[in-house]
């Protein structure tokens, strides 16, 4: 099927136009098309002031506190949007963001039916005009709380559904503001004021027609969520309403693996706004009065109740399921991967990773362990299948990995080392809907709606909060003394993408033996050296992206890898691991001043005699008048990858809880608590990390508070630290002319390899575990309840406040372990 030609104008600010007239046959054919296909896909223009290296953004919803109270999750979701979001006209929303209205539905006929009968849903008032008769007066003038006051709204929606010429046998609307919908992944206490949902879903074994409906719907059934507030003038109520709908949409997107986008709406007194979000866009409509403009409300619900296909209301038809939990309580999906040769289907066995899916916008990455499904039979070995949304114009990871391997071998790397250093791609491809790649929409808007602002008191109180420092901007930006929240956060258009790997492993972050962890870092150095020598940089080194496979460490997640001299357009931002980000990459500028002398960097680490150190031949610096170092265009180089790996090495002994049976812990309780607080700040603040990296006294002071079993390791890491800093300063005599080979020739790879290999030999018998918290000692039945990966029909309607212990257990069972 081909995409219909775009209209002459795609701006969302044009005057209202009638929806395109199509017959029933055309409407039915659209059921297999990517949703929605009825308007022009806009290619976003690249701002001229974009930086040459894509900055990193860390999500507030991925911070630890976003696991706690529901209000914190909502606030984090709203904060990740920035201060302003795109606002479009009602006409744009109805005809460009909603599915096309079924041609058999005539709005005027629906209105006439609503006005007729013994008890008409719409009545004519001499002063107000048409009025929904379920409401006796405006909500703001009605006594009582918002839940009973807005109970008549459900009557309004259901009367609209009944007045349609079509039977709404698979769409229902309810308001259960005191009950939380059931979850697929784990328990969440979000409670929408109302929601429209599907009674049945194709391929979902629990929700098949004929099966008994649950007393409370699942999040994966919900199409649109609602939030109500009686006041249309109160700023706190206004902000709270927006927070709540954002929290609802966030939960829909992260709980349902088949969800491509979702809808919401807010009602403040009689003023209604529509909401839409996918993995790159969040859009809100202009407000309208639901009494004065009842046709708009009718159009909205009938479009959602009678779409051409489930794909047009946000569901992915290439993911079938979930299937009923098996003997081990695992819920599985059947996933169709569109490879270059032919589609292949894989059935998931267990969920390995889903942390990136916890944010509204971004990659939404999930990773499963799976097996291939052929003619209904599972065949072949287990594989890892990765579901992600990538920037549409980026090179795909399934292309990058083979290219890196070929380039590394061509540059002289050992083919066996290269093959062992990286994952093996089985197949990959963009998700295809109706023969067209599944992409997010790019919406143009003439204005932006302010949705969040902070007072001076809030800024002071939240200055040390992870969410604030990591919310928006180019990175975790504690340098900036300006606003904590960016006025705008725009994402590039994204494409839904699947990639299947032959290897299934465990991330380094979950390692429990220190010697095994350091041995893996030494192995990864070989893979990085092969990349750097062939002109590639990884740009996303972290403890999550180093994978153990049968005792061998492999470098994973090459989606942000970049070739030296690449002409690929740079993007406004990317969502990678800021926890281990090099300082300069976080700031997107060079930070190290060149020393007065011209001597080469002095190695502080003892290198084995068998390791040959290449001679570093410095070139004459290129002088450019009229520029100061901070104005020089920043470019990521291999030394930034190596610094990130050093941060991983530091994290293993300083951020983790160390246990060594052969060495007594001589630290006081106060020293341990002081260290835990300060090292957390180091990893979460670029300002403190810069001081930690460059100041010898600061770095050594942390070593005195470590477990005595790892203090000798800290001395080796100190030598690597000083060498990295001196190498930066030596290279940045002329930062604009740094070549990748310049970094390779410094011998830093050899230094790190030798050091990590030696540390692996010296750290036997030392265990590293997630940092314990006082609250973890609190054990209750409720904490286990929240950690469940499946829902029970006996969920308490009014659970007590969640303790830190319950949050910890939930994070551990989902593989998150408190760490980013």
């Amino acid at each position: 099927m081909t995409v219909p030609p775009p209209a002459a104008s795609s701006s969302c600010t044009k005057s209202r136009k009638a929806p395109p007239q199509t017959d029933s046959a055309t409407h039915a054919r659209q059921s297999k098309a990517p949703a929605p296909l009825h308007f022009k896909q806009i290619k976003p223009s690249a701002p001229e002031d974009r930086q040459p290296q894509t900055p990193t953004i860390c999500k507030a919803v991925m911070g630890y506190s976003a696991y706690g109270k529901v209000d914190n999750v909502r606030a984090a979701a709203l904060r990740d949007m920035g201060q302003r979001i795109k606002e479009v006209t009602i006409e744009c929303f109805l005809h460009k963001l909603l599915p096309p209205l079924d041609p058999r539905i005539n709005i005027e006929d629906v209105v006439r039916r609503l006005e007729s009968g013994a008890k008409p849903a719409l009545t004519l008032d001499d002063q107000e005009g048409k009025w929904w008769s379920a409401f006796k007066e405006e909500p703001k003038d009605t006594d009582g709380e918002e839940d009973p006051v807005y109970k008549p709204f459900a009557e309004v929606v259901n009367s609209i559904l009944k007045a349609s010429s079509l039977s709404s046998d698979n769409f229902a609307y309810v308001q259960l503001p005191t009950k939380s919908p059931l979850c697929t992944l784990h328990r969440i206490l979000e409670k929408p004021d109302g929601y429209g949902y599907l009674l049945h879903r194709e391929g979902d074994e629990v929700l098949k027609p004929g099966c008994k409906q649950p007393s409370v719907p699942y999040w994966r059934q919900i199409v649109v969520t609602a939030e109500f507030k009686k006041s249309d003038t109160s700023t706190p109520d206004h902000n709270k309403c927006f927070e709540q709908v954002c929290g609802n949409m966030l939960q829909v997107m992260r709980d349902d693996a088949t969800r491509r986008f979702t809808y919401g709406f807010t009602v403040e007194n009689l003023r209604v706004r529509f909401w839409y979000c996918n993995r790159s866009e969040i859009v809100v409509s202009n407000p309208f009065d639901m009494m004065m403009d009842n046709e708009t409300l009718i159009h909205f619900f009938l479009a959602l109740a009678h779409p051409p296909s489930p794909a047009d209301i946000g569901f992915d038809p290439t993911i079938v399921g979930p299937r009923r939990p098996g003997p081990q309580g695992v819920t599985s999906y059947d996933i169709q991967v569109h490879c270059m040769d032919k589609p292949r289907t894989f059935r998931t066995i267990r969920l390995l990773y889903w942390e990136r899916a916890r944010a509204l916008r971004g990659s939404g990455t999930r990773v499963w362990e799976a097996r291939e499904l052929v003619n209904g039979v599972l065949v072949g070995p287990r594989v890892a299948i990765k579901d992600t949304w990538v920037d549409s114009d980026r090179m795909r990871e399934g292309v990058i990995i083979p290219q890196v391997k070929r380039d590394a071998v061509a540059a002289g790397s050992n083919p066996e080392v290269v093959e062992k250093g990286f994952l093996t791609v089985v197949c990959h491809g963009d998700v295809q809907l109706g023969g067209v790649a599944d992409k997010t929409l790019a919406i143009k808007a003439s204005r932006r709606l302010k949705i969040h602002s902070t007072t001076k008191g809030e800024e002071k109180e939240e200055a040390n909060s992870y969410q604030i420092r990591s919310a928006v901007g180019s990175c975790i930006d504690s340098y900036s003394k300006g606003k904590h929240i960016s006025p705008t956060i725009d994402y590039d258009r994204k494409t839904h993408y699947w990639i299947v790997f032959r290897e299934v492993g465990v991330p380094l972050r979950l390692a429990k033996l220190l010697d095994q962890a350091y041995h893996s870092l030494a192995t990864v150095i070989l893979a990085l050296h092969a990349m750097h020598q062939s002109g590639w940089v990884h740009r996303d080194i972290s403890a999550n992206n180093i994978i153990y496979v049968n005792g061998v460490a492999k470098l994973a997640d090459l989606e942000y890898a970049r070739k030296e001299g690449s002409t690929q357009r740079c993007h406004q931002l990317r969502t990678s691991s800021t926890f281990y980000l090099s300082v300069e990459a976080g700031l997107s500028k060079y930070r190290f001043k060149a020393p007065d002398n011209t001597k080469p960097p002095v190695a502080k680490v003892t290198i084995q005699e068998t390791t040959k150190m290449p001679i570093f031949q410095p070139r004459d610096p290129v002088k450019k008048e009229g520029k100061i170092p901070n104005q020089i265009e920043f470019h990521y180089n291999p030394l930034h990858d190596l610094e990130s790996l050093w941060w991983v090495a530091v994290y293993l002994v300083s951020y983790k809880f160390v246990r060594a049976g052969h060495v007594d812990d001589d630290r006081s309780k106060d020293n341990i608590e002081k260290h835990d607080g300060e090292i957390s700040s180091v990893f979460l603040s670029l300002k403190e990390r810069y001081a930690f990296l460059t100041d010898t006294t600061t770095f050594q002071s942390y070593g005195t508070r470590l477990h005595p079993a790892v203090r000798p390791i800290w001395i080796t890491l100190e030598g690597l630290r000083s060498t990295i800093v001196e190498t930066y300063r030596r290279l940045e005599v002329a930062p604009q002319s740094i070549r990748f080979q310049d970094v390779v020739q410094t011998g830093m790879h050899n230094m790190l390899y030798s050091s990590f290999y030696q540390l692996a030999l010296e750290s036997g018998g030392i265990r590293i575990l997630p940092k314990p918290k006082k609250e973890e000692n609190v054990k209750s039945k409720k904490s286990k309840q929240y950690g469940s990966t499946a829902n029970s029909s006996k969920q308490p309607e009014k659970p007590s406040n969640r303790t830190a212990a319950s949050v910890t257990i939930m994070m551990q069972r989902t593989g998150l372990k408190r760490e980013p």
Side-chain angles (χ1 to χ4, degrees):
M1 177 178 177
T2 58
V3 180
S9 175
S10 59
S11 174
C12 289
T13 60
K14 298 294 182 182
S15 60
R16 184 166 186 167
K17 296 181 180 180
Q21 297 297 320
T22 57
D23 55 22
S24 299
T26 302
H27 188 264
R29 286 197 301 271
Q30 289 180 341
S31 64
K32 296 182 179 180
L37 287 180
H38 51 284
F39 68 101
K40 181 179 179 180
Q41 306 280 9
I42 305 166
K43 183 178 181 180
S45 57
E48 294 180 358
D49 58 349
R50 284 191 175 177
Q51 297 177 352
Q53 295 293 308
T54 310
T56 300
I57 182 172
C58 185
K59 302 297 183 60
V61 294
M62 297 173 73
Y64 168 68
S65 64
Y67 278 92
K69 296 181 180 179
V70 173
D71 288 342
N72 291 347
V73 180
R74 293 168 176 170
L78 192 68
R79 190 176 303 281
D80 283 340
M81 296 185 189
Q83 285 188 343
R84 299 180 184 274
I85 62 171
K86 293 180 180 179
E87 184 177 10
V88 299
T89 63
I90 293 296
E91 292 75 14
C92 173
F93 201 100
L94 293 181
H95 304 308
K96 299 184 182 297
L97 297 178
L98 284 178
L101 195 64
D102 192 296
R104 293 169 291 179
I105 297 176
N106 186 294
I107 299 294
E108 294 180 357
D109 290 343
V110 175
V111 172
R112 282 193 290 269
R113 294 189 188 98
L114 291 169
E115 294 174 333
S116 61
K119 294 182 179 180
L122 272 176
T123 58
L124 185 62
D125 187 280
D126 294 337
Q127 296 180 348
E128 301 293 341
K130 292 180 180 178
W131 188 269
W132 293 106
S133 56
F135 287 91
K136 305 306 179 184
E137 58 184 343
E138 292 189 21
K140 67 179 181 181
D141 299 327
T142 306
D143 294 334
E145 299 295 328
E146 66 185 40
D147 292 347
V149 167
Y150 276 101
K151 188 175 181 180
F153 190 86
E155 299 179 31
V156 171
V157 177
N158 288 317
S159 65
I160 292 173
L161 298 177
K162 292 178 182 179
S164 168
S165 58
L166 303 179
S167 173
S168 57
D169 57 353
N170 195 37
F171 183 87
Y173 178 83
V174 296
Q175 290 178 193
L176 301 172
T178 62
K179 295 184 178 181
S180 178
L182 303 176
C183 296
T184 301
L185 287 177
H186 59 77
R187 181 73 186 278
I188 292 292
L189 301 183
E190 195 74 61
K191 300 174 184 176
D193 287 341
Y195 42 83
Y197 67 102
L198 299 181
L199 300 175
H200 309 288
R201 278 187 51 181
E202 183 179 356
D204 191 323
E205 293 189 355
V206 177
L207 303 173
K208 290 190 300 185
C211 292
K212 183 180 178 180
Q213 286 288 320
S215 58
V216 179
Y218 286 88
W219 280 104
R220 65 178 186 266
Q221 295 175 259
I222 294 176
V223 177
V224 58
T225 56
E227 290 295 338
F228 304 106
K229 287 290 178 287
K230 290 175 61 177
S231 173
D232 57 1
T233 57
S234 170
T235 299
D237 285 349
H238 177 76
N239 291 343
K240 190 68 174 179
C241 197
F242 283 8
E243 276 191 6
Q244 289 172 338
V245 76
C246 290
N248 294 339
M249 293 191 297
L250 169 64
Q251 177 56 21
V252 170
M253 294 292 284
R254 70 181 180 179
D255 185 73
D256 186 6
T258 70
R259 199 62 61 103
R260 301 164 54 238
F261 56 85
T262 190
Y263 296 98
F265 68 91
T266 53
V267 183
E268 299 171 271
N269 188 29
L270 299 176
R271 189 174 63 175
V272 181
R273 288 182 184 270
F274 299 143
W275 294 73
Y276 166 90
C277 79
N278 57 34
R279 287 299 178 187
S280 64
E281 293 282 2
I282 298 177
V283 179
V284 63
S285 74
N286 298 144
F288 70 94
D289 190 303
M290 70 178 185
M291 299 297 181
M292 302 295 292
D293 191 2
N294 45 69
E295 290 188 8
T296 296
L297 199 65
I298 294 171
H299 186 145
F300 179 78
F301 282 102
L302 292 184
L304 295 179
H306 304 286
S309 75
D312 287 273
I313 51 175
F315 298 97
D316 185 352
T318 66
I319 308 178
V320 178
R323 298 167 54 83
R324 287 186 182 275
Q328 299 179 347
V330 177
T331 299
S332 63
Y333 297 85
D334 290 345
I335 299 170
Q336 187 180 75
V337 180
H338 292 85
C339 308
M340 296 298 294
D341 47 359
K342 63 177 182 179
R344 300 172 65 175
T345 302
F346 296 85
R347 177 166 294 174
T348 65
I349 298 173
R350 63 184 174 117
L351 183 63
L352 300 176
Y353 177 87
W354 70 283
E355 187 178 354
R356 296 277 176 89
R358 293 176 53 214
L360 266 175
R361 293 183 293 176
S363 63
T365 302
R366 291 181 174 91
V367 182
W368 283 277
E369 182 179 352
R371 291 184 67 190
E372 188 166 9
L373 188 66
V374 179
N375 298 325
V377 179
L378 295 176
V379 299
R382 298 191 176 194
V383 296
I385 180 168
K386 179 178 176 180
D387 171 22
T388 186
W389 291 79
V390 300
D391 294 327
S392 295
D393 59 348
R394 281 192 190 275
M395 186 185 297
R396 303 295 187 257
E397 188 176 7
V399 177
I400 292 175
I401 294 176
Q403 185 63 51
V404 167
K405 291 180 178 180
R406 289 193 296 268
D407 290 351
V409 173
S413 296
N414 187 320
E416 184 178 353
V417 171
V418 171
E419 195 60 37
K420 287 184 177 180
F422 302 95
L423 299 176
T424 306
V425 179
V426 175
C427 63
H428 69 103
D430 294 345
V431 173
Q432 300 291 315
L433 299 183
V436 180
D438 183 17
K439 298 182 180 181
T440 59
L441 308 177
I443 309 300
K444 283 186 177 181
S446 60
R447 57 167 292 178
R448 291 180 182 265
L449 175 67
K450 187 174 183 179
I451 62 170
H452 187 93
S453 60
T454 56
T455 64
K456 291 183 179 179
E458 286 175 336
E459 289 182 355
K460 183 178 180 180
E461 179 183 352
E462 297 174 338
N464 296 323
S465 167
Y466 173 49
Q467 302 102 291
I468 293 296
R469 288 200 305 264
S470 65
V472 296
S474 63
C475 56
I476 302 178
D477 190 2
S478 59
Y479 281 93
S480 174
K481 297 181 180 180
K483 295 179 179 178
H484 291 293
I485 301 176
S486 173
T488 60
I489 307 176
D490 290 331
Y491 285 68
D492 290 282
R493 189 177 176 189
K494 294 185 177 295
T495 299
H496 198 183
Y497 175 70
W498 290 101
I499 181 170
V500 181
F501 298 105
R502 181 183 302 167
E503 301 88 354
V504 180
V506 178
L508 174 65
R509 178 172 54 82
L510 302 181
K512 295 182 179 180
L513 299 177
L514 189 58
D515 57 347
Q516 183 185 40
Y518 276 121
H519 187 272
S520 69
L521 293 184
T523 305
V524 166
I525 282 290
L526 300 177
L528 268 181
H529 182 267
M531 283 190 72
H532 297 162
Q533 187 172 246
S534 59
W536 286 86
V537 282
H538 188 281
R539 301 206 302 163
D540 191 16
I541 299 294
S542 75
N544 281 319
N545 296 341
I546 298 171
I547 308 295
Y548 285 115
V549 180
N550 297 326
V552 178
K554 292 178 178 288
L555 191 57
D557 283 359
L558 271 67
E559 56 190 305
Y560 295 121
R562 193 178 182 90
K563 181 80 170 178
E564 184 175 19
S566 172
T567 58
Q568 178 182 337
R569 180 182 70 87
C570 292
H571 301 77
Q572 189 169 2
L573 53 86
R574 61 189 172 98
T575 53
S576 64
S577 304
T578 56
F579 208 61
Y580 314 94
L581 191 66
S582 67
V583 174
E584 289 188 338
L587 296 172
S588 291
K589 64 181 180 181
Y590 296 106
R591 195 66 179 84
F592 298 91
K593 295 181 180 180
D596 296 333
N597 58 63
T598 58
K599 294 181 180 180
V602 179
K604 301 293 184 179
V605 182
T606 303
I607 306 299
Q608 297 178 2
E609 295 181 0
T610 55
T611 304
K612 295 182 178 180
M613 298 293 297
I615 299 175
F616 174 46
Q617 298 290 348
R619 291 175 289 122
D620 294 331
V622 178
K623 297 182 179 180
K624 291 189 177 181
E625 298 180 358
K627 284 191 176 183
I628 59 176
N630 287 346
Q631 292 178 325
I632 296 174
E633 198 174 74
F634 175 77
H635 290 277
Y636 195 103
N637 65 60
L639 191 54
H640 298 117
D641 275 349
L642 298 179
E643 183 194 333
S644 291
L645 201 64
W646 178 83
W647 282 109
V648 174
V650 170
Y651 154 85
L652 292 172
V653 294
S654 63
Y655 197 88
K656 289 277 194 175
F657 172 67
V658 176
R659 179 177 295 170
H662 60 289
V663 179
D664 294 331
D665 192 347
D666 60 0
R667 298 173 297 168
S668 67
K669 183 178 178 181
D670 290 341
N671 263 351
I672 294 175
E673 291 180 352
K674 180 180 179 181
H675 171 78
D676 288 346
E678 290 185 354
I679 199 65
S680 296
S681 297
V682 167
F683 278 96
L684 301 176
S685 166
L686 282 174
K687 182 178 181 179
E688 294 188 33
R689 288 174 70 186
Y690 179 75
F692 184 86
L693 180 64
T694 57
D695 189 338
T696 301
T697 303
T698 300
F699 185 88
Q700 291 176 347
S701 68
Y702 281 84
T704 61
R705 296 193 296 272
L706 292 176
H707 191 288
V710 296
R711 287 172 192 165
I713 294 175
W714 201 251
I715 296 174
T716 301
L717 295 177
E718 152 66 12
L720 290 175
R721 179 203 63 80
S722 60
T723 304
I724 289 172
V725 171
E726 289 189 20
T727 305
Y728 268 128
R729 290 173 175 166
R730 184 65 189 88
L731 290 173
E732 291 180 12
V733 170
Q736 66 274 29
S737 59
I738 296 175
R739 299 173 305 181
F740 287 11
Q741 282 300 320
D742 294 339
V743 180
V744 174
Q745 292 174 2
T746 61
M748 282 300 303
H749 296 82
N750 285 335
M751 296 180 195
L752 289 168
Y753 175 83
S754 176
S755 299
F756 293 153
Y757 186 82
Q758 189 63 32
L759 290 178
L761 298 177
E762 297 172 357
S763 54
I766 301 177
R767 293 173 59 84
I768 48 176
L769 306 168
K771 290 193 298 185
K773 296 291 181 180
K774 293 179 182 179
E775 296 83 359
E776 288 183 8
N777 296 325
V778 179
K779 296 182 179 180
S780 66
K781 294 181 180 180
K782 291 182 179 179
S783 66
K784 296 181 181 180
Q785 199 174 50
Y786 296 127
S788 177
T789 57
N791 279 280
S792 170
S793 59
K794 298 181 180 180
Q795 297 183 58
E797 295 183 7
K798 294 182 180 180
S800 61
N801 291 335
R802 303 173 65 183
T803 64
S806 67
V807 172
T808 299
I809 293 173
M810 180 187 71
M811 295 175 70
Q812 290 176 345
R813 293 190 178 182
T814 54
L816 298 175
K817 302 285 187 183
R818 280 192 184 275
E819 289 130 20

